[in-house]
Amino acid sequence: MSASRLNLAELDLSELETALEARGCERFHARQLYRWVYRRGVVDFGKMTDLSKELRSRLAMEFDAVTPVVASDVTSIDGTRKFALELSDRRRIEAVFIPDTPAMTFCISTQVGCAMGCGFCLTGKMGLVRNLTAGESAGQVRVLAAATGMLDHPFNIVLMGMGEPLHNYANTMKALRILHSEHGLAVSPRRVTLSTVGIVPGLERLAHEPLMPNLAISLHATSEAQRSELVPPNRKYPLADILEACRRFPLKKRSRITFEYVMLDRVNDTPEDARRLARLLSGIRAKVNLIPLNPAPGIPYDRPSDARVDQFAQILADRHLTVSVRKSRGQDIRAACGQLIVEGGVKKSAAQQMALLMQS
Ligand code: SAH
Ligand code: SF4
């Protein structure tokens, strides 16, 4: 790969048009290139048969389309497929295909590792290695859609893989722009859910985005003290401020904010926690997604019994909240929430992680 070639996977449609023009090519070829790369999964210019031979060789000299490479692809007994994808610097990320949820869903990563350090999450244990570029985030969808035969089908995207999307704001939003192009995969923002621990300035920026995804807030606790312990960024962006930002968030008609709540046995799963949660969410168009912990070695918490989860859910339902309990998918292949980690990731101390967070 020549360093002088421009990686078109990092360009949104208008940037690609400008780049083509600057190289003496017609702007309209950008749409054709988008169709090949995103709708047909073809990145080899030689195979783009509706372009003249001359243009194809010219493009091959000027551009490339860097694409994550499937390093492994494992299918769980429940049909969930976990992909390990290798990036151009040999770092690895994970992305998951979850069929029948009821829609087809791709769960993609936004960072290699994560700086937030939540105590129950394996990705958090890695620390932040680096941000993904926009092309790498969008590239996961391109690669998974091609590998699962979904290029011509509607699918949902959840930003719930490795990383904190609002800690890599600009690249994540650019990836959504690239995926939204009608000449490419044409993914509507209504089909995208961004899950975040609640970086308040990021939430405020998101509220003004023209392409606004659905919002999921990882809450996990009902008091500032407990949340600061489980979700360290709460020390900088407290629960009260996050809920305030949620109250102001401009929701579309009939849409609601999802509040995710990882249930840790006898830590945050008492009836009192459930009652407090209902009180905190009053006045917000909310639904709650309970996620019984996916336990893992090195995670100092347990999964509560089904009876405790049901009791918690019932208390919320009695207070007129819509509640769902997340079925754990792909646990046998470690593709479930919080179980995405790539061995050998750079481990940072909790202090280093907090320092990184504070700089952002
Ligand atoms: N960083 C973002 C998105 C990725 S994590 C966020 O935290 O929202 C996606 C979801 O998986 C979050 O709700 C997270 O709390 C949850 N999760 C993390 N570790 C988990 C575990 N061990 N068991 C169950 N859910 C977990
Ligand atoms: Fe990062 Fe989300 Fe894991 Fe927390 S739960 S460490 S924010 S990936």
Side-chain angles (χ1 to χ4, degrees):
M1 206 184 305
S2 142
S4 60
R5 280 190 282 171
L6 186 59
N7 176 9
L8 65 80
E10 296 297 342
L11 306 181
D12 65 27
L13 189 72
S14 67
E15 289 172 336
L16 182 54
E17 286 169 344
T18 307
L20 284 166
E21 200 169 39
R23 286 159 183 76
C25 304
E26 298 283 355
R27 290 169 71 88
F28 72 85
H29 293 310
R31 295 172 175 207
Q32 291 172 302
L33 284 167
Y34 250 60
R35 260 177 244 135
W36 279 109
V37 173
Y38 293 96
R39 277 200 212 160
R40 302 194 202 168
V42 172
V43 292
D44 176 351
F45 298 110
K47 293 187 179 146
M48 300 183 180
T49 46
D50 60 354
L51 306 179
S52 72
K53 283 220 169 98
E54 193 212 328
L55 179 61
R56 283 187 253 167
S57 52
R58 178 103 167 268
L59 289 171
M61 281 188 320
E62 302 277 5
F63 292 95
D64 55 12
V66 177
T67 302
V69 176
V70 177
S72 75
D73 167 3
V74 195
T75 305
S76 156
I77 41 174
D78 65 18
T80 303
R81 269 169 83 174
K82 180 166 84 166
F83 293 82
L85 301 176
E86 191 168 291
L87 307 172
S88 48
D89 63 355
R90 315 289 311 266
R91 306 261 193 218
R92 286 189 179 196
I93 48 168
E94 290 177 351
V96 182
F97 172 58
I98 313 156
D100 68 56
T101 48
M104 304 291 172
T105 302
F106 296 121
C107 173
I108 67 161
S109 297
T110 54
Q111 296 179 314
V112 184
C114 181
M116 302 294 127
C118 303
F120 46 80
C121 173
L122 280 181
T123 307
K125 295 242 167 260
M126 289 174 70
L128 178 65
V129 180
R130 71 168 173 85
N131 281 333
L132 294 190
T133 64
E136 288 168 339
S137 287
Q140 292 168 74
V141 178
R142 195 153 56 81
V143 169
L144 265 63
T148 57
M150 294 291 296
L151 284 169
D152 292 325
H153 295 83
F155 51 77
N156 293 343
I157 297 173
V158 294
L159 306 182
M160 294 187 188
M162 301 165 74
E164 166 49 52
L166 296 186
H167 193 216
N168 183 17
Y169 191 96
N171 292 345
T172 301
M173 295 321 288
K174 184 170 183 186
L176 297 188
R177 257 193 334 271
I178 291 173
L179 292 169
H180 177 65
S181 169
E182 58 172 320
H183 302 287
L185 284 167
V187 178
S188 152
R190 276 187 318 237
R191 287 194 163 272
V192 180
T193 300
L194 183 152
S195 174
T196 174
V197 283
I199 309 230
V200 174
L203 288 175
E204 272 151 14
R205 267 174 94 182
L206 196 64
H208 297 100
E209 285 292 338
L211 293 182
M212 198 193 293
N214 301 306
L215 182 59
I217 301 280
S218 286
L219 212 67
H220 312 321
T222 55
S223 71
E224 299 288 0
Q226 186 176 59
R227 192 165 191 273
S228 292
E229 199 176 302
L230 296 175
V231 182
N234 194 68
R235 295 168 203 158
K236 189 170 181 196
Y237 304 115
L239 189 54
D241 294 3
I242 295 169
L243 293 173
E244 202 36 56
C246 289
R247 286 200 168 81
R248 285 196 304 268
F249 202 78
L251 287 174
K252 292 185 211 97
K253 250 195 208 157
R254 284 199 302 273
S255 82
R256 283 181 285 181
I257 300 177
T258 302
F259 290 88
E260 297 161 282
Y261 194 96
V262 170
M263 297 191 66
L264 312 172
D265 190 39
R266 283 157 222 282
V267 175
N268 64 355
D269 65 343
T270 66
E272 187 44 42
D273 287 308
R275 286 191 284 270
R276 250 197 320 265
L277 179 58
R279 274 200 300 278
L280 286 175
L281 298 183
S282 76
I284 301 178
R285 268 154 61 196
K287 51 189 173 179
V288 177
N289 189 206
L290 300 176
I291 316 172
L293 177 79
N294 292 311
I299 301 290
Y301 301 104
D302 297 315
R303 183 192 187 91
S305 67
D306 289 351
R308 284 180 80 83
V309 175
D310 290 348
Q311 186 190 28
F312 197 97
Q314 191 60 53
I315 293 172
L316 298 176
D318 288 346
R319 284 155 179 75
H320 311 292
L321 277 160
T322 305
V323 194
S324 56
V325 178
R326 192 177 298 173
K327 216 165 95 186
S328 178
R329 306 293 305 247
Q331 259 195 301
D332 53 326
I333 56 166
R334 228 175 58 190
C337 292
Q339 295 191 304
L340 303 183
I341 191 169
V342 175
E343 258 74 36
V346 183
K347 175 85 183 79
K348 289 198 170 57
S349 71
Q352 280 174 304
Q353 291 175 19
M354 273 316 284
L356 270 169
L357 174 63
M358 295 306 168
Q359 283 159 18
S360 65

